[in-house]
Each structure stands twice: as structure tokens, then as C-alpha cells.
Amino acid sequence: MDYQLDLDWNDFLQRYWQKRPVIIKRAFKDFKDPLTPDELAGLAMETEVDSRLVSHEDGRWQVSHGPFESFDKLSENNWSLLVQAVDHWHEPSAALMRPFRQLPDWRIDDLMISFAVPGGGVGPHLDQYDVFIIQGQGRRHWRVGEKKALKQHCPHPDLLQVEPFDAIIDEEMEPGDVLYIPPGYPHEGYSLENALNYSVGFRAPSGRELVSGFADYVLAQELGSQRYGDPSLALRPDPAAVLPEEIDALRAMMMDLVQQPEQFNHWFGEFISQSRHELDIAPPEPPYQAGEIYDLLRQGDQLHRLGGLRVLKVGEECYVNGEQIVTQHKQAVAVLASAYAIGGAQFGEALDDPSFLALLTALINSGYWYFKN
């Protein structure tokens, strides 16, 4: 399905993005759910899929993690099933991500879908990332509070909530409505009837993640082998003292690693193009031969990108699932990053280059792109 989001993006970015939460009524006209609650439950039974069931009764919260074998013993109230990265596993649901490509691909993370019965929710909490919540079937009541310091507590080891808050948004959402919540704003939603919700989450790496990831890259690439030196060393009154200029020199050694654009860009491309969740990778059996792929594309068949696959450009280089795509045909590779369905003509003359065709064959045989049957 081709989902059309009725949103003035320039106005939204200026007034709301990372500034204020907002409900956009009827953002999707005549909204149709891409899957049923039964299909979502089926995904939660799969080992590779990240899912959890959250319930509460008389103030007591329970959390259990999938894969689940059955949902037969659940009550009719006060529980919610949440399934992460559904765009990786269910192609019609992945279409819900496309309208949000007005925002950078590298910032978009995944699609979480929840099904809740009346009273179902995960309690008041806050997130450290931006999220768009799309209301599917049913109605859900949402409250969003002001961004301020709130005490957090764990009513269950796997559940982090915040203390009660005053609402600046207090509304019911109906099919097609969209709620945008920036990082740090407390919120809670409870279903008024059986309801589906779709959460488009965004990636916001912390400084800790960046430093850790870059340090791993430095070690793997055997960078930073230069050692500290002090040819101008002079006597000092206190041998136990580390002088400010020595600290500055040590810091400069570390900063020099980060300030190498080629190395930093290459690391970031690998780092940010990796998915945080399992991909539904199914390499073709038997593998394609290059000639077969050439013929299929020339005959009008289209290549389709695997759901959840991250294909990103950093400068002129392109990265897919943590690996750089090395080729001289930059424009042809840019098509892999920009389009979800690709015909042979979009590759231009690159398709007639055996080296590019071999690269494309390897990507397809890795399960990253595929031909629909």
C-alpha cells in the first residue's frame, strides 16, 4: 500500500521537531492497517523477532518476552503485545516507514507495532529518541507531559516508568491520527478498545556509543600506533605532577584519530548502516549467476530491498549493513541507497560493466536485494 502522510514538513520541522509534541489529526486519510492482530501475534511467536507482553492488574505489572507459544490464557483487559522491527519481517508494514523519508534515513530506526486490549499500555514513561505513533484500528487515549526532571522507577525489572505528570496533550486518537513525541517528554497511552499502534522510532546514538564504536574501529584497523613523546622534557619541582601541557598533548593524540575525515567517515558509515535488530535475510538457493541477473533486469524485472536494510551514503561512499560498497560506479550505487524498487535502466551503463554486475550479484546472493516471484 502507498501511504500518503498529510503533513507540511517544513512547518513541522520549524515548529515541532525536537521542540514540542503534537497530535496531527487524520494525518493518514482512510487509514488501512497493513496487518491484523493475529498476524502480529504470529510474528511474536518467531524466535528471531523481538517481542514482549506487558500486563497490569491492581497496580502490579508483569512483563514477559517472546517468542510466545500461545495467547489463549490472556484476559480481555489490561495487556499489550509489542513487537519490534516489524518492518524487517512484514513487507506491507514496512510501507508505513516510507512517508517519513522526508527525514534522514540514518536517523530512522525501526517500526514497532503494538496490539492492546482495553486498558492495555506500558504505563507512564519517557524515551530518549523521537517517535511518531500512528493510530491504527481502535481508539487509544494519550497523555503527554512537559519535558522536565521526573523521578523514574521500575515496577518490574524490565519496565521503567516515571512518576505522575500534568498533561499538555490529553486526547483520544482514532485511525489515521499521528502523535509526535520528541525525546524526554513523558507520555502514556491506554487503549479504549482493541487497538493497533505503529511507532516509527528514530536512532539517536549517545556519546558513549560513538566513542565505544570508534574505539573498536581503531583497534580493528590498528590505528593510533603513534606513541607519546616529549623531546623537550624539562626538570620539574614535583615529579608526581602531570603538567597541563602534557595533558593537552595526550588529548591531541586522541583527537587526531577522530579528526581524520576519511577514517572517521568510513567508520561512521559502517557503524550507522548496521541494523540494531535481526534482518529477515534469506539468500537465494541456488545463488544467481551474473548473467541471470542481467537478463532479468533487462527484461523489466525489478529488484526490491530487504525490509529494514540500512543503505546509507557518507560523502561519495555507500554502506550497506555495516559494509562499504566499493565500486567506481557511484551513481549506480546511489540508486541502491535512494530507491526501494529498482529497474535495470536506473543502473545506466554500470549494468554493462562486469565488475559492477559481479558486485550486484554478490549483494543479491547475500539476500540484501531480491526479485519478487
Side-chain angles (χ1 to χ4, degrees), residues 284-306:
E285 289 292 344
Y288 283 100
Q289 298 299 313
E292 294 177 86
I293 290 173
Y294 182 88
D295 290 342
L296 286 169
L297 288 171
R298 288 304 188 206
Q299 291 165 11
D301 285 47
Q302 286 190 321
L303 278 175
H304 296 265
R305 185 192 298 184
L306 178 70

Side-chain angles (χ1 to χ4, degrees), residues 143-327:
R143 297 178 69 254
V144 184
E146 193 61 81
K147 184 176 183 178
K148 62 180 182 180
L150 292 172
K151 291 181 180 179
Q152 294 183 293
H153 63 280
C154 294
H156 183 279
D158 293 335
L159 201 60
L160 183 62
Q161 296 182 351
V162 297
E163 63 184 317
F165 57 85
D166 294 327
I168 56 176
I169 290 177
D170 192 347
E171 292 191 41
E172 290 182 15
M173 284 176 59
E174 298 178 335
D177 294 347
V178 172
L179 170 61
Y180 164 70
I181 307 173
Y185 282 81
H187 52 280
E188 63 175 334
Y190 289 100
S191 285
L192 303 174
E193 55 196 28
N194 289 358
L196 283 166
N197 279 92
Y198 307 85
S199 298
V200 179
F202 285 73
R203 181 173 290 196
S206 66
R208 183 187 301 113
E209 290 176 275
L210 296 175
V211 170
S212 175
F214 188 66
D216 290 341
Y217 176 81
V218 168
L219 293 173
Q221 300 295 319
E222 298 184 351
L223 304 176
S225 58
Q226 177 186 350
R227 290 186 176 273
Y228 176 81
D230 46 9
S232 301
L233 184 66
L235 295 175
R236 68 192 68 188
D238 182 2
V242 181
L243 301 182
E245 57 267 29
E246 293 171 329
I247 292 293
D248 289 343
L250 291 164
R251 184 185 301 112
M253 285 179 62
M254 298 177 68
M255 291 301 297
D256 182 61
L257 290 170
V258 179
Q259 291 171 350
Q260 298 178 37
E262 184 176 347
Q263 292 289 356
F264 188 87
N265 288 1
H266 183 73
W267 160 72
F268 188 70
E270 292 183 345
F271 172 82
I272 204 63
S273 65
Q274 293 178 26
S275 174
R276 295 193 307 112
H277 301 276
E278 289 276 350
L279 293 169
D280 188 17
I281 296 176
E285 289 292 344
Y288 283 100
Q289 298 299 313
E292 294 177 86
I293 290 173
Y294 182 88
D295 290 342
L296 286 169
L297 288 171
R298 288 304 188 206
Q299 291 165 11
D301 285 47
Q302 286 190 321
L303 278 175
H304 296 265
R305 185 192 298 184
L306 178 70
L309 186 72
R310 296 176 68 80
V311 190
L312 300 167
K313 295 183 293 182
V314 180
E316 294 186 354
E317 303 303 327
C318 188
Y319 297 83
V320 54
N321 199 32
E323 300 178 34
Q324 183 180 0
I325 302 177
V326 180
T327 177

Side-chain angles (χ1 to χ4, degrees), residues 46-59:
E46 298 292 336
T47 304
E48 300 85 358
V49 179
D50 183 8
S51 61
R52 59 184 174 138
L53 187 67
V54 181
S55 61
H56 63 96
E57 193 70 42
D58 298 327

